[in-house]
Amino acid sequence: MATIYLLLVLSALIFTAQAQQGQSNIVKPGSLLTPATTTNSSWLSPSGLYAFGFYKQGYGYAVGIFIEGIPQKTVVWTANRDDSPVPADAILNFTSDGQLVLQSAQQGTKTSIANSPGVATSASMLDSGNFVLHNSDNNTIWQSFDQPTDTLLPSQHLLVQKVLSSSVSDSNHSTGRFLLLMQQDGYLAMYPVGTPYTIEYGYWNYVTPGQENNAKLNLDDNGHLYLDSINGKAGIVDLNIGDNSTKGLLYLLRIDADGILRLYSHNMDQNGTWSVTWSQPDDKCAPKGLCGLNAYCVETDQSFGCNCLPGFALINQSEMSSGCERNFTAESCKASMPYTMEAVNNTTWEDKNISVLSSSTQEACKAACLQDCNCDAAQFKQGECKKQSLPLRFGRLLESDPNIAFIKVSISTPTTARNVPKKSKKEVLIISVSLVAFAFIMLVIFGIVRYGYRVWACKKESNHGNIVLSEDVSLQSFTYAELEKVTDNFKEELGRGAFGIVYKGEIGNGKKLVAVKRLEKLLAEREREFQSEMKVIGRTHHKNLVHLLGYCHDGLNRLLVYEYMSNGSLADILFTPEKQPCWDQRMEIARDIAKGILYLHEECMPHIIHCDIKPQNILMDENMCAKISDFGLSKLLKPDQTKTFTGIRGTRGYVAPEWHRKMSVTVKVDVYSFGIVLLEIICCRKGVDYNILEEEAILEEWAYHCFECGELGKLVGDDKVDKKQLERITKVALWCILYEPSLRPSIKKVLQMLEGTMDIPDPPSRSVASSVWSKE
Ligand SMILES: *[C@@H]1O[C@H](CO)[C@@H](O)[C@H](O)[C@H]1NC(C)=O
Ligand SMILES: *[C@@H]1O[C@H](CO)[C@@H](O)[C@H](O)[C@H]1NC(C)=O
Ligand SMILES: *[C@@H]1O[C@H](CO)[C@@H](O)[C@H](O)[C@H]1NC(C)=O
Ligand SMILES: *[C@@H]1O[C@H](CO)[C@@H](O)[C@H](O)[C@H]1NC(C)=O
Ligand SMILES: *[C@@H]1O[C@H](CO)[C@@H](O)[C@H](O)[C@H]1NC(C)=O
Ligand SMILES: *[C@@H]1O[C@H](CO)[C@@H](O)[C@H](O)[C@H]1NC(C)=O
Ligand SMILES: *[C@@H]1O[C@H](CO)[C@@H](O)[C@H](O)[C@H]1NC(C)=O
Ligand SMILES: *[C@@H]1O[C@H](CO)[C@@H](O)[C@H](O)[C@H]1NC(C)=O
Ligand SMILES: *[C@@H]1O[C@H](CO)[C@@H](O)[C@H](O)[C@H]1NC(C)=O
Ligand SMILES: *[C@@H]1O[C@H](CO)[C@@H](O)[C@H](O)[C@H]1NC(C)=O
Ligand SMILES: *[C@@H]1O[C@H](CO)[C@@H](O)[C@H](O)[C@H]1NC(C)=O
């Protein structure tokens, strides 16, 4: 009873505080907003047209700016748009020290809404739709107009090198697939998100006749859209100037979820809806990647449709643009499986050929792809056959284009084929002598290529003194309240990863530092699996694995407590120039990682495939010993989260190609990721980096190039490295990232190569390697 009374008093206080602010529309520090309808959930602009505050998003709320004064409340800006929605207990706190903070006790999060450089003494929602923060000198220190999401409002400018990025959908305002960029060279252009800003990826552009540098995009109150530069204005959309019919209309420019840029108008006098005044491009299928991976866009009268390639099915049946995946499980090349090639006429695709056959015929093109394990599809046009690997992107039907896509599909009924043991299928080594030689070398080096998981009992390895197997390790189980105390109410954030946010904590009265990971995005119903996974992870013990100390499974909360790693992640030290370790230390790190993976793959029971090896998941202890974290968690994640495609020229990041080919996932996916990490360790740079020369941007391609040209020294720059050693280690990495999983060495072989002194054969060229294994 007392609490209810207190709440009433509190809300009355808030109410009066804000009613007072309402008169001037200036919000002072100490003000709060909450999503609840009983209190104020937004701050209005003086005319009441715009509001800043909470709006409904998914199962929770987001903070943003929306047009409150029209029936169809339209969101024009969202703070931290890619964060998950906050629950109903959230509070937007304009703190007395001048920060705008979104806090949720239930989620234990505190996020800054406006990363302003100073202390704000007032905030205002303006009638232009701009939300501004002022300091004590009445200077604007932050404004939402400088951080546009997908919408440009009248009087707002899109400055040079700024983008508008589309939302996921009308109801989900997270970053979607397309963006509009105001380029430095005066071009206004649209691209798919995650591609380089070059002409081959753009799908629309506009430039002023004189092509002025440093132009900015403006929209004015009358719906004129123009580029503004030192030489004046150039109209993109000029409505009849002086025509009074545009008066009383509200305009906005938005790049929509379908990649089309639209200028909308809304008649304020009538109960209208938004109508489209102008839009570009006209061609609905022009936005590249509209249908997702392995699908192609087909224009219809009003809109567009998406078709999957033959042998493929939608990833999400109820989501047309989700992209497609093989509807059969492919086998590794070695296990020969009958395939056939199906044609899709008159479609265009991104070309990321793995090899090209000139003066070919359709039949020869199909046959060449069938014989090549790396080849999942081919594009045939005017006698040129370009072999492709999955996924295919940017597909669309274009009646005028004679390009044919040939797709490799399974003939046999897939589900049974997978489980029936294959008896008489014999592998044959084919084609040229050189290929046979490759195979021979490989067989010698790697022994018989093994598949999948071998089930080894987990044993105490006396030769690896560091492995201690304790069958009955008891993980400590924490309550949520305990972990709140341990982390001092989730005060200090250590980092963010695929699984959630990590906080620093102390147990045993500050005697021991720990890292507490709050898991997000888990499948909610998987309670029992969570417990059993915890047991599995709790049993692992190796000096190159981050040790799990305990967990919390309390209501909806899932948290893990790990030992604290004082030197951050490998990504930190590798990609921060001041922190980069010397070559010998780096090689030590590479061996440590390989040892950790070896333990997961072969020494512990049950074996664990990590599925997400990357420098962010490798942590460094106080002695700079590398330890792998996040192992054993991939099973708990929703499907597909591990398969992210970086989107840049077919780059998979750390993700092995078989994820995209729908082959069964084996330990070799970790070997692939390790190979990419090894290249990063060699070069002290990220696998994909568009801040450097284009031909060097994708590390795996550049490393191959340097290797083939005998210019490995370029990889390490000024770093003094023994040439022989550099060559050996690079070769190991290139073996690890072979496209065909069965050709990649096991992690044990990798470790031997990293440690040993034996010669390492040249890795096969990527385009030929696969042809080694074929079938009759
Ligand atoms: C707060 O909400 C009340 C109604 O719940 C409203 O009368 C008042 O004007 C609001 N104040 C502001 C500043 O929006
Ligand atoms: C919005 O879309 C993103 C990306 O697809 C997704 O991760 C997120 O969960 C969605 N949010 C809501 C509220 O549905
Ligand atoms: C708002 O933030 C301040 C400073 O962080 C804090 O003292 C205050 O308790 C917060 N208000 C609410 C209602 O949480
Ligand atoms: C702050 O500046 C605006 C104009 O930029 C002015 O209207 C307002 O009165 C000023 N406020 C104070 C407190 O000086
Ligand atoms: C627009 O309105 C103004 C006054 O409001 C009037 O003088 C002018 O003639 C009108 N122009 C047109 C094209 O109707
Ligand atoms: C707008 O709609 C409201 C109710 O939805 C109605 O009362 C009002 O008359 C409408 N106004 C016009 C101009 O249609
Ligand atoms: C896969 O899709 C093709 C059509 O693209 C269909 O003919 C085939 O039956 C499907 N296979 C399975 C297993 O669903
Ligand atoms: C499929 O798409 C629908 C509609 O967008 C969404 O609600 C649903 O969660 C998606 N299913 C999966 C498994 O992602
Ligand atoms: C594709 O084009 C070929 C001619 O190149 C034609 O024989 C075939 O029937 C076409 N297929 C479809 C589905 O239109
Ligand atoms: C094949 O791809 C490479 C690089 O991806 C490119 O340089 C080359 O031009 C392509 N070949 C053809 C014939 O398109
Ligand atoms: C469609 O593709 C077929 C097969 O390549 C080709 O013969 C035909 O000319 C293409 N259609 C057009 C309109 O170019």
Side-chain angles (χ1 to χ4, degrees), residues 102-123:
L102 179 62
Q103 53 196 45
S104 159
Q106 193 185 322
Q107 278 190 338
T109 49
K110 275 186 192 168
T111 5
S112 172
I113 291 296
N115 282 314
S116 67
V119 172
T121 55
S122 71

Side-chain angles (χ1 to χ4, degrees), residues 15 26 53 56 117 139 165 196 215 275 300 311 359 401 468 498 612 619:
F15 176 84
I26 293 198
K56 198 110 185 72
N139 291 328
S165 313
S275 51
T300 59
S359 48
D401 193 321
V468 188
D612 199 17
L619 304 181

Side-chain angles (χ1 to χ4, degrees), residues 75-95:
V75 174
V76 295
W77 183 80
T78 302
N80 305 327
R81 66 197 297 206
D82 293 321
D83 286 3
S84 344
V86 289
D89 79 329
I91 296 173
L92 185 67
N93 186 351
F94 188 13
T95 64

Side-chain angles (χ1 to χ4, degrees), residues 291-512:
C291 285
L293 301 175
N294 307 315
Y296 58 97
C297 181
V298 181
E299 252 192 298
T300 59
D301 285 347
Q302 295 297 316
S303 178
F304 67 93
C306 294
N307 291 355
C308 285
L309 291 170
F312 285 67
L314 275 176
I315 290 171
N316 181 344
Q317 293 295 336
S318 46
E319 177 94 32
M320 178 176 81
S321 301
S322 62
C324 309
E325 60 183 4
R326 275 181 169 163
N327 70 355
F328 58 91
T329 305
E331 290 291 332
S332 195
C333 233
K334 195 174 159 237
S336 60
M337 181 183 189
Y339 288 110
T340 181
M341 302 300 290
E342 288 203 20
V344 192
N345 289 346
N346 309 94
T347 51
T348 70
W349 302 85
E350 176 188 24
D351 174 29
K352 47 181 185 72
N353 64 71
I354 49 177
S355 66
V356 179
L357 305 176
S358 48
S359 48
S360 169
T361 61
Q362 292 195 20
E363 287 312 311
C365 185
K366 288 194 215 174
C369 188
L370 279 174
Q371 281 170 10
D372 184 340
C373 292
N374 275 353
C375 183
D376 298 316
Q379 294 189 42
F380 181 84
K381 184 170 169 175
Q382 288 150 0
E384 195 171 55
C385 174
K386 298 176 178 179
K387 294 188 200 169
Q388 313 282 318
S389 64
L390 291 180
L392 299 190
R393 304 198 286 177
F394 304 162
R396 62 169 304 191
L397 189 68
L398 201 59
E399 296 295 350
S400 59
D401 193 321
N403 191 55
I404 304 176
F406 290 117
I407 313 298
K408 200 184 252 183
V409 297
S410 155
I411 300 173
S412 63
T413 38
T415 33
T416 52
R418 203 184 157 196
N419 300 328
V420 171
K422 293 169 205 70
K423 279 158 271 162
S424 58
K425 306 272 176 178
K426 215 174 84 186
E427 285 120 27
V428 177
L429 302 182
I430 52 142
I431 322 186
S432 70
V433 178
S434 67
L435 293 182
V436 174
F438 269 143
F440 180 67
I441 294 167
M442 274 173 350
L443 287 172
V444 170
I445 298 301
F446 298 129
I448 298 147
V449 178
R450 296 192 183 93
Y451 264 82
Y453 264 139
R454 277 158 301 157
V455 183
W456 287 9
C458 203
K459 53 184 186 282
K460 206 166 188 162
E461 296 232 342
S462 45
N463 51 342
H464 288 76
N466 42 39
I467 298 170
V468 188
L469 184 86
S470 22
E471 276 303 335
D472 48 1
V473 188
S474 50
L475 279 180
Q476 197 171 344
S477 169
F478 293 89
T479 65
Y480 186 73
E482 281 168 336
L483 289 185
E484 261 183 337
K485 232 174 103 188
V486 162
T487 57
D488 194 6
N489 211 358
F490 301 100
K491 196 163 141 211
E492 189 176 339
E493 191 178 313
L494 292 173
R496 283 168 187 248
F499 297 89
I501 306 176
V502 188
Y503 300 89
K504 192 169 176 175
E506 288 175 356
I507 53 178
N509 289 327
K511 288 211 185 73
K512 192 179 171 82

Side-chain angles (χ1 to χ4, degrees), residues 572-599:
D572 281 342
I573 65 161
L574 220 45
F575 308 141
T576 313
E578 311 83 66
K579 295 190 188 168
Q580 279 161 9
C582 70
W583 174 264
D584 288 341
Q585 281 176 317
R586 301 210 299 277
M587 289 305 107
E588 185 67 40
I589 291 170
R591 287 190 292 268
D592 280 346
I593 303 167
K595 284 176 196 163
I597 299 175
L598 176 62
Y599 174 82

